[in-house]
Amino acid sequence: MLSVYAAIAPFPSFYSQNQVSIVCNNTRTGAVYDPTKLVSGCNTCPQYTVNGALETCNCSPGQYGIPCTPQTCTAPQIQSFDGTFCLTCPTTTTTITLPDGLTQKTICTCPTLNIIVQRNTTNNLAAAQCVQCPNGYYPSYDQSRCLSCPDPVNMIATETTPRTYTCTCLAGIFSATPYGGVCLIDSAIQQARQRYPSSPGSLIFSDILTTTLSTTTVTISSDVFSKYYTRAVVGCDSLGNRDACQQLANLCVLAYYDLNNAACKAYTLMAATRGTIMSDPYTDQPHGMPWIYYGLVNNEATFSVRNRIMSLSLTNPVVSQASPLQFVLGIYLINGTFLGYQKLDNQLLVCNENGIYARLWNRAGQTSSLSCQVNLNSIVSSNAETLLFDLFVYDSTNVLYPVPVRIKNYKDQQGNKINTESSPTDSNKLFRRFFWFDTQTGVSNGLSGPIRVPKTVQFWFQTVSDRDGVIYVPIMDIEYGERLYADISSTDSSQVSSPTFSFGATWSQDFSRYRQAFTILAALTGSFSVIASIYLTRSYNARNSGVADTLDIFFFIRFAVNLGATAGPVLFLIVYLMALYFLVFFKSQSILFLLIPIGDYDVGLFMLFVLLVIVSEAAYVSNEIFKQCNVSLFFMDWERSKGKLMSKNHDGVESAPVSAWRMIFMVNEWSRLQNFRRVNIEFALIGVIMLLNVFNWSGLSALQPQFQDTQTGSYSTILGFASNASAWVVMILIQFVFRWGFYDRYYRNVVLQYTDLLSLSNISLVVLDEKCHGYYVHGRSVHATADTSIQEINQYLRHEASDIVPRRGLNDTNDQCFEIFVTQEWRKYFDKLYHPNALQSDLARTAGMINRLANEPPAVNGSALSGNQQMETNSKMARSLNSFLKSFFEQLNKEFPYNMGKKTYWESMIGAAPDLTKGSTFFQDDTGFCKVLLLGVEFHLLILYICLFCYIHNALGSYMKAAGIIWLIDWSVLTIRLHFGRMNITRKTLLDAKFLL
């Protein structure tokens, strides 16, 4: 059927923003358009010629032949009309001046209503003949041909002035005055005026944008309505004339289907009495009238119209290699003339410079949009005919299925716009016909007034639930903008003369089951997170204060932090997997069954969960960094004195001092470990930008169901999150796999190296991140001394390799690193030795800073100790604490025993605290102490960066800006963590800051 429609007359010209109008019209000089001339484009016609049609020159009057040459006639002969031969007249001759007021011409004298015949069917006549025109026709000004009256069957022509004729209706039956050029029967006019509004009334333009960019209303008496209204009503009602019914319907469409308008009132009154003889889906078409309203005849509700299912199976364009959606336009002029059908391609695309979009917008499953700003001057100055359209779509049985149209400018009888929702709803009013650019209906008394242009055209497609590849009937939206003809200027770039035109296609489906699944997952996640957070908070209280159910402000703060720690990763996993599901299955489907949520509610809900992940992870990471910068930290030196030395006063002997450089070295190495991570953020950001821009992963966010085509389609927030997060995941996995499979295994494992260095230095590390919880790294050397030469150290290492010395681990085991749970009593004793020293150190440091700023010597007496006294005090306290810890870990202190063991899988998973009634408990954990480093929150930090990157890109639309902001945030985190971490090291290790590099 499509080939039949395509063979009908060409589609009337549409408007192009690139249209160039070259005018060479100068009758006296004879200038014509020459397409080979790029600048002026005009040629001058040769002698004896004038411009004719485009790109041609015609012979001037009295000239003929090739080239044009003058034809001279001898009286009484005169030239023929075309100037090619001479002939005589039956009577006299007359010289007339043509309507241009310049050209004079000699013709034969013939009676009124006669024309001059100069040729028969075969030859030129030697003598012209006078022949009378038929009834309803009259001679042209030069009497060369007969012209038709507007209604030749019912009109006669009479000469009003010489060579000027007027057509009037036949007296007795018809009205004296024709209506729109048509003679109507008086009785039919009177009958129509009793049934329907007697006059077309006024046409209201209520959305006119003025030069001040404000909206105003203009009411006019339209020449188009005045011309066609009465003839349309009478012709359609009394005579059943199809063209008249089309005219009436078109007038109603041009009035935005306003039931307060006379044309729409007349149409609805007629249509309501006609009934229908059509079968589905045409049961709403009035018998003998065009169909423009839905629900007028069969009272079908909008809900029923929107839920009509088409007989159509939609496949992915990759498989079918062609779009299964073929639209057809039925085209009409205002006067009701049907111009035929044409396949819809780019006729409704004002913006289509490269022609690509015309092949994309009707692909199955592809949501897309296009917009541009176009100057209206060339459109309105062309005064083109206003075209009206009926829209159809082919179904799988090759039947034209009517497509409903939603006119967004439509107002109900109370003057309320009811089609303003962003997408079609059951409360909307649907129609069949729409118009395109309209410069005709705004003409009043021959003067151009308001014009109307289609600002927005939007197609809506919705799939049927549980029926793959099946859709409901599409719906088309159109919204018009109104301007005043006088306000349009070719130099004006504002929205008045250069409005923004947009065209789009949106595919959607019922996502209720996805929302339900997502809601269930979110509810389960929330419930799990709340339960887990309560458990973790109670466990914290139980192991640190001995009372699990203490409800205070700190309980709720810890609960909130734990909620973020548990909910953040799980929510991220749900959001990411859901986005990835849509990306993979939407792009790889062969029969359309899955679309992407694009509604404000769905996208807003999705981004809300992303924001919840960001807030949760930010809260948790901030809290953990704060905790890391306040841990209790002590380096325990196992090194023994190498002998005795003479005392300083030479009054006896004393133990030889132990070198402090090993301690200083290990503290500095610990300081360097503060910001250690396995993932380099700079490398990750560079890789993400390359994947998204260079390898065009960003194209995966386009709303088109193809992996291969990454250039077209509108942006999807959900697909964008999936592609952006996947780029991050890939770069993170690359670095993790590289570290785990090669770098840490064969080159250097920084964490294990630090443990080895502690053993070589004969120094152990104690870190308490909570009151009764922390980590212990056993660094006691199995050799005689650590403060020795490099040769002896190498010898020691060879002995270890030969397994001829005890094992490095605690209590002659291989376990060096432990997660420790200490008793309340142990912590009290530890604080007794440890906490006062830190306080004195803070006081001394504060006093020293004040003295330096004031250029005063350090205070000796007062609240703060002098520098030397403070260092001596710190040294004594450090030795006391060192002795206590050595006796504790060697199990020489019977007051504070401890037990060693391994956590079960369940204990590791839920973080259960052990029973401390029999003393402290040590659980072997090779890398547990990393939790007090930035490495301990790296996982949560990466989730935070991924979601922040996606959120910022969605807000700003720039990958580079998002990457720059993430780098700045990461730099700030590193700076803050290093600064306050170093402050904590100097405060808690009893080591002066001057020893930190």
Side-chain angles (χ1 to χ4, degrees):
M1 294 177 68
L2 185 58
S3 60
V4 175
Y5 296 129
I8 296 177
F11 194 77
S13 61
F14 279 82
Y15 310 102
S16 169
Q17 58 178 325
N18 297 322
Q19 179 178 345
V20 179
S21 177
I22 300 179
V23 179
C24 302
N25 187 14
N26 189 328
T27 303
R28 307 317 301 170
T29 60
V32 297
Y33 172 64
D34 182 356
T36 64
K37 290 191 172 184
L38 300 179
V39 181
S40 66
C42 297
N43 273 341
T44 301
C45 291
Q47 188 180 14
Y48 306 127
T49 62
V50 294
N51 65 301
L54 191 66
E55 304 177 32
T56 63
C57 293
N58 292 343
C59 291
S60 302
Q63 323 294 324
Y64 74 98
I66 303 175
C68 298
T69 55
Q71 171 65 54
T72 304
C73 297
T74 304
Q77 290 184 322
I78 62 173
Q79 286 182 343
S80 61
F81 287 121
D82 58 10
T84 59
F85 65 96
C86 299
L87 75 168
T88 59
C89 292
T91 56
T92 60
T93 61
T94 302
T95 300
I96 63 171
T97 300
L98 296 180
D100 63 9
L102 299 174
T103 305
Q104 290 189 331
K105 189 173 185 178
T106 301
I107 62 174
C108 298
T109 302
C110 284
T112 301
L113 295 176
N114 278 243
I115 61 171
I116 305 168
V117 177
Q118 299 178 344
R119 288 187 175 89
N120 57 23
T121 56
T122 58
N123 300 308
N124 299 331
L125 298 179
Q129 299 177 5
C130 293
V131 178
Q132 185 174 352
C133 290
N135 289 335
Y137 291 82
Y138 58 93
S140 61
Y141 192 84
D142 62 357
Q143 295 182 279
S144 61
R145 62 188 184 279
C146 291
L147 303 177
S148 173
C149 288
D151 189 359
V153 176
N154 301 314
M155 286 184 172
I156 59 172
T158 55
E159 187 177 36
T160 53
T161 60
R163 303 187 179 280
T164 302
Y165 294 84
T166 301
C167 294
T168 57
C169 296
L170 296 174
I173 300 178
F174 299 101
S175 63
T177 303
Y179 290 85
V182 177
C183 295
L184 302 177
I185 300 174
D186 275 327
S187 59
I189 295 174
Q190 297 304 319
Q191 184 180 1
R193 286 177 174 173
Q194 293 175 0
R195 296 179 180 176
Y196 313 108
S198 58
S199 65
S202 300
L203 188 62
I204 301 174
F205 297 82
S206 58
D207 297 315
I208 294 179
L209 185 66
T210 66
T211 54
T212 60
L213 301 182
S214 59
T215 302
T216 188
T217 299
V218 173
T219 303
I220 66 167
S221 177
S222 172
D223 290 353
V224 169
F225 278 68
S226 299
K227 177 180 179 179
Y228 290 114
Y229 174 74
T230 302
R231 63 181 278 188
V233 171
V234 175
C236 183
D237 182 57
S238 301
L239 305 177
N241 184 281
R242 294 290 181 96
D243 285 346
C245 291
Q246 293 287 357
Q247 292 171 12
L248 182 61
N250 290 342
L251 293 179
C252 182
V253 174
L254 292 168
Y256 292 142
Y257 295 90
D258 183 4
L259 292 177
N260 294 318
N261 182 270
C264 294
K265 287 182 180 178
Y267 174 89
T268 53
L269 288 172
M270 286 186 206
T273 61
R274 295 292 181 98
T276 183
I277 60 173
M278 304 293 287
S279 59
D280 190 71
Y282 293 89
T283 56
D284 214 3
Q285 179 166 349
H287 180 56
M289 294 184 69
W291 175 19
I292 61 173
Y293 282 95
Y294 275 93
L296 184 62
V297 175
N298 64 3
N299 297 316
E300 184 175 16
T302 300
F303 169 80
S304 177
V305 176
R306 293 181 59 230
N307 287 277
R308 286 181 176 178
I309 299 176
M310 293 186 59
S311 176
L312 190 65
S313 180
L314 299 179
T315 58
N316 193 310
V318 172
V319 178
S320 65
Q321 296 300 320
S323 169
L325 288 172
Q326 302 292 338
F327 290 88
V328 172
L329 288 173
I331 310 154
Y332 299 86
L333 295 177
I334 292 180
N335 63 10
T337 301
F338 178 58
L339 300 179
Y341 291 101
Q342 189 178 58
K343 175 184 174 182
L344 176 59
D345 186 19
N346 63 349
Q347 296 93 324
L348 304 183
L349 294 175
V350 179
C351 314
N352 193 33
E353 295 182 3
N354 53 21
I356 295 177
Y357 191 75
R359 303 191 301 271
L360 302 177
W361 71 267
N362 57 350
R363 281 184 180 179
Q366 178 158 331
T367 294
S368 57
S369 62
L370 187 68
S371 63
C372 65
Q373 194 172 0
V374 179
N375 189 273
L376 296 174
N377 186 66
S378 60
I379 297 174
V380 300
S381 61
S382 64
N383 292 318
E385 291 260 26
T386 298
L387 301 176
L388 298 98
F389 305 113
D390 286 341
L391 184 62
F392 305 87
V393 62
Y394 275 116
D395 65 10
S396 57
T397 61
N398 243 12
V399 172
L400 286 176
Y401 205 98
V403 176
V405 178
R406 190 172 68 136
I407 309 292
K408 302 195 75 172
N409 302 76
Y410 169 74
K411 294 181 179 180
D412 60 15
Q413 287 183 282
Q414 288 71 42
N416 301 316
K417 288 186 176 181
I418 63 173
N419 288 345
T420 56
E421 291 89 348
S422 58
S423 60
T425 65
D426 293 340
S427 63
N428 295 150
K429 187 71 175 176
L430 301 177
F431 309 100
R432 278 289 299 125
R433 187 170 293 183
F434 65 98
F435 61 89
W436 202 231
F437 288 90
D438 175 29
T439 60
Q440 291 184 271
T441 55
V443 177
S444 179
N445 297 321
L447 300 176
S448 295
I451 62 170
R452 293 181 286 192
V453 298
K455 294 195 307 180
T456 303
V457 175
Q458 182 75 31
F459 282 84
W460 299 95
F461 305 92
Q462 184 173 1
T463 60
V464 180
S465 299
D466 302 322
R467 295 183 61 180
D468 295 348
V470 179
I471 64 170
Y472 297 106
V473 61
I475 295 177
M476 192 196 89
D477 277 0
I478 187 167
E479 181 179 11
Y480 298 96
E482 298 175 345
R483 308 288 190 273
L484 290 176
Y485 181 90
D487 292 339
I488 305 302
S489 169
S490 60
T491 60
D492 181 17
S493 60
S494 71
Q495 286 293 314
V496 178
S497 298
S498 302
T500 299
F501 295 89
S502 63
F503 182 96
T506 300
W507 289 78
S508 63
Q509 71 180 88
D510 182 8
F511 293 103
S512 58
R513 61 178 180 177
Y514 294 99
R515 294 191 196 104
Q516 184 180 11
F518 188 73
T519 302
I520 292 174
L521 285 174
L524 291 175
T525 300
S527 301
F528 164 78
S529 300
V530 170
I531 294 172
S533 301
I534 293 174
Y535 173 80
L536 292 174
T537 306
R538 292 181 74 253
S539 297
Y540 177 92
N541 287 351
R543 67 175 176 262
N544 290 290
S545 63
V547 182
D549 298 322
T550 301
L551 294 178
D552 53 17
I553 186 63
F554 300 104
F555 179 91
F556 291 104
I557 292 175
R558 280 190 292 270
F559 170 78
V561 173
N562 289 328
L563 186 64
T566 54
V570 181
L571 278 179
F572 170 75
L573 187 63
I574 292 175
V575 169
Y576 176 60
L577 290 180
M578 185 187 72
L580 195 62
Y581 166 83
F582 279 109
L583 174 65
V584 173
F585 287 96
F586 176 69
K587 297 286 186 178
S588 60
Q589 57 191 330
S590 58
I591 295 180
L592 193 66
F593 74 93
L594 179 66
L595 296 173
I596 305 300
I598 58 174
D600 293 340
Y601 175 81
D602 293 318
V603 175
L605 183 64
F606 180 85
M607 292 308 295
L608 175 62
F609 276 88
V610 174
L611 189 59
L612 285 176
V613 175
I614 293 173
V615 173
S616 299
E617 295 294 4
Y620 176 72
V621 169
S622 300
N623 179 75
E624 288 301 299
I625 291 178
F626 175 80
K627 285 177 58 178
Q628 291 176 5
C629 292
N630 288 277
V631 295
S632 296
L633 186 70
F634 188 78
F635 287 88
M636 186 174 61
D637 194 351
W638 294 91
E639 191 76 1
R640 296 185 179 92
S641 174
K642 291 185 177 181
K644 300 293 184 177
L645 294 176
M646 182 68 69
S647 65
K648 296 179 181 179
N649 298 326
H650 302 284
D651 55 357
V653 294
E654 59 183 15
S655 298
V658 177
S659 172
W661 290 111
R662 292 174 297 103
M663 176 78 70
I664 294 173
F665 173 71
M666 295 313 301
V667 171
N668 275 279
E669 289 300 308
W670 178 258
S671 178
R672 290 176 56 192
L673 277 178
Q674 297 302 296
N675 286 349
F676 170 72
R677 292 177 298 181
R678 290 187 173 90
V679 174
N680 184 284
I681 295 300
E682 288 80 3
F683 178 80
L685 286 171
I686 293 172
V688 167
I689 295 300
M690 288 187 64
L691 287 176
L692 292 172
N693 286 339
V694 179
F695 293 94
N696 204 24
W697 282 28
S698 61
L700 296 175
S701 61
L703 282 167
Q704 49 82 19
Q706 302 177 29
F707 274 113
Q708 294 87 339
D709 187 358
T710 58
Q711 301 295 330
T712 59
S714 299
Y715 176 80
S716 165
T717 298
I718 295 177
L719 294 182
F721 182 89
S723 58
N724 296 349
S726 295
W728 271 91
V729 170
V730 167
M731 295 309 303
I732 290 170
L733 288 177
I734 287 175
Q735 295 190 64
F736 267 117
V737 170
F738 173 75
R739 279 226 174 237
W740 174 81
F742 175 75
Y743 190 89
D744 290 347
R745 189 182 299 268
Y746 299 110
Y747 180 60
R748 183 174 60 187
N749 188 318
V750 176
V751 174
L752 295 182
Q753 274 193 340
Y754 188 74
T755 302
D756 289 338
L757 279 176
L758 285 172
S759 294
L760 287 175
S761 302
N762 206 14
I763 292 175
S764 293
L765 171 64
V766 179
V767 181
L768 297 177
D769 60 342
E770 296 176 8
K771 182 179 180 181
C772 296
H773 174 269
Y775 303 93
Y776 171 63
V777 182
H778 186 63
R780 183 174 185 178
S781 177
V782 296
H783 308 291
T785 181
D787 193 4
T788 185
S789 66
I790 191 66
Q791 290 82 5
E792 285 195 65
I793 290 178
N794 288 332
Q795 183 66 31
Y796 293 159
L797 295 177
R798 284 194 292 269
H799 289 169
E800 285 194 59
S802 302
D803 200 19
I804 60 176
V805 293
R807 290 175 290 184
R808 287 185 177 182
L810 182 63
N811 297 333
D812 197 23
T813 65
N814 289 321
D815 302 331
Q816 289 185 260
C817 301
F818 300 90
E819 180 182 11
I820 62 175
F821 295 85
V822 298
T823 62
Q824 298 277 341
E825 293 75 14
W826 186 97
R827 182 60 196 246
K828 290 178 181 178
Y829 192 81
F830 178 86
D831 287 342
K832 181 180 178 181
L833 300 175
Y834 179 78
H835 203 63
N837 300 323
L839 177 61
Q840 290 292 336
S841 178
D842 289 340
L843 293 173
R845 189 175 293 106
T846 303
M849 181 178 65
I850 295 173
N851 291 332
R852 285 194 298 272
L853 293 175
N855 293 322
E856 295 178 359
V860 176
N861 300 315
S863 61
L865 302 176
S866 66
N868 293 333
Q869 289 176 320
Q870 179 60 48
M871 291 181 66
E872 182 63 26
T873 301
N874 285 349
S875 297
K876 290 180 180 179
M877 293 298 180
R879 287 194 297 270
S880 299
L881 186 57
N882 196 79
S883 298
F884 165 69
L885 293 176
K886 286 168 63 175
S887 65
F888 171 69
F889 288 111
E890 287 184 307
Q891 293 186 321
L892 299 177
N893 193 328
K894 302 304 180 182
E895 186 180 355
F896 303 111
Y898 67 85
N899 304 298
M900 295 176 58
K902 289 186 178 293
K903 277 189 176 181
T904 63
Y905 177 79
W906 176 249
E907 288 174 331
S908 299
M909 186 173 67
I910 66 173
D915 181 12
L916 301 181
T917 57
K918 295 182 180 181
S920 302
T921 301
F922 291 8
F923 290 125
Q924 188 270 331
D925 190 345
D926 289 338
T927 58
F929 69 92
C930 293
K931 294 179 182 177
V932 299
L933 306 174
L934 192 60
L935 181 63
V937 294
E938 182 178 31
F939 174 71
H940 294 273
L941 198 59
L942 290 174
I943 292 177
L944 175 62
Y945 287 168
I946 292 173
C947 292
L948 266 177
F949 181 89
C950 297
Y951 197 89
I952 294 169
H953 170 257
N954 189 66
L956 302 181
S958 170
Y959 292 116
M960 295 303 296
K961 291 179 181 178
I965 293 174
I966 295 300
W967 179 86
L968 186 61
I969 292 174
D970 185 64
W971 176 84
S972 301
V973 169
L974 294 178
T975 303
I976 292 171
R977 176 65 181 84
L978 182 62
H979 175 74
F980 290 100
R982 289 168 63 90
M983 286 181 61
N984 184 65
I985 290 172
T986 60
R987 187 168 63 248
K988 300 296 178 64
T989 62
L990 308 179
L991 185 71
D992 198 274
K994 65 172 66 74
F995 294 110
L996 291 182
L997 301 179

